Amino acid sequence: MISILEVVGNFLLFALVFGMSATVDISCMKHQIRNKRAILLGIFCQFILLPFLGFAIVNILQLEPCLGITLLVVTSSPGGSYSNWWCSLFNADLALSVTMTAISTLLSVFALPANLLLYSNAAYNADVTSDLDWMSLFVALAIVISAIALGLYCSYSCHSYRFNILANKVGNAAGFLLILFSATVTNSDADSRIWSRHWTFYVAALAPCFFGLLIASALAS
């Protein structure tokens, strides 16, 4: 049964992705779709580089299965709402970010399970992925895809600068609320508070981001 927390989280996720997508001008997105080098580099980093980095960190730190599988899920998942949000906040190429999110989300239907099966079996010599909540994963993917599609359609139909600004404000508000919501839910249990973890938790969370950003920047330059 779906809980109220899941509904609220999914609603904020939808609002964030919709707001960012509705900010994008369709002509800019069409231009970015033809940017093959950027798209291919993004796919490589998303589905080859990051999952491998997650696997490497799991092995180097000898993470226990519950933490290691979680890290593999995160590093194997497609780039999504927050990549769009950061691009919007720092005035980066939002059209490219939304285009990459749409493509990586569609590809993740096949790439996510494949990477999880490959690296979880290699790391733990067991099919621990059978215990994952696959339904929740694919529901999140469906929410992102539908939010992108509806946001781009509204941007195309309205073709209004004022609408784009309003959508951007909605997306930004949803982004901040989703951070607060996630922090509140995560820290509601005394045994799962983020500041009471072992040092390997923080290294495992930061290392793929750091090395992924470093390698991706070198490849893109």
Side-chain angles (χ1 to χ4, degrees), residues 70-208:
T70 301
L71 180 63
L72 290 176
V73 169
V74 172
T75 55
S76 298
S77 296
S81 52
Y82 280 111
S83 63
N84 306 149
W85 190 51
W86 289 119
C87 285
S88 174
L89 287 178
F90 292 102
N91 199 29
D93 196 332
L94 183 58
L96 177 59
S97 178
V98 172
T99 302
M100 191 62 236
T101 295
I103 293 174
S104 66
T105 302
L106 291 172
L107 291 177
S108 69
V109 173
F110 307 100
L112 174 58
N115 276 320
L116 277 179
L117 289 173
L118 172 65
Y119 289 118
S120 63
N121 286 323
Y124 298 105
N125 297 316
D127 184 18
V128 291
T129 56
S130 58
D131 297 327
L132 288 176
D133 188 355
W134 290 101
M135 180 60 70
S136 295
L137 285 174
F138 284 111
V139 166
L141 295 179
I143 289 172
V144 172
I145 293 173
S146 59
I148 290 174
L150 183 60
L152 292 174
Y153 174 77
C154 290
S155 178
Y156 174 78
S157 300
C158 296
H159 199 66
S160 166
Y161 179 73
R162 290 183 63 185
F163 172 78
N164 294 144
I165 294 298
L166 177 61
N168 187 263
K169 290 180 179 179
V170 169
N172 284 329
F176 282 114
L177 289 174
L178 192 56
I179 289 177
L180 294 175
F181 174 79
S182 300
T184 302
V185 172
T186 301
N187 293 303
S188 59
D189 185 358
D191 294 330
S192 62
R193 287 176 179 169
I194 196 169
W195 57 78
S196 61
R197 302 280 188 165
H198 190 263
W199 66 268
T200 54
F201 171 84
Y202 306 103
V203 174
L206 292 173

Side-chain angles (χ1 to χ4, degrees), residues 37-48:
R37 184 175 182 273
I39 297 298
L40 290 175
L41 179 59
I43 292 173
F44 169 79
C45 291
Q46 193 70 67
F47 296 117
I48 297 178

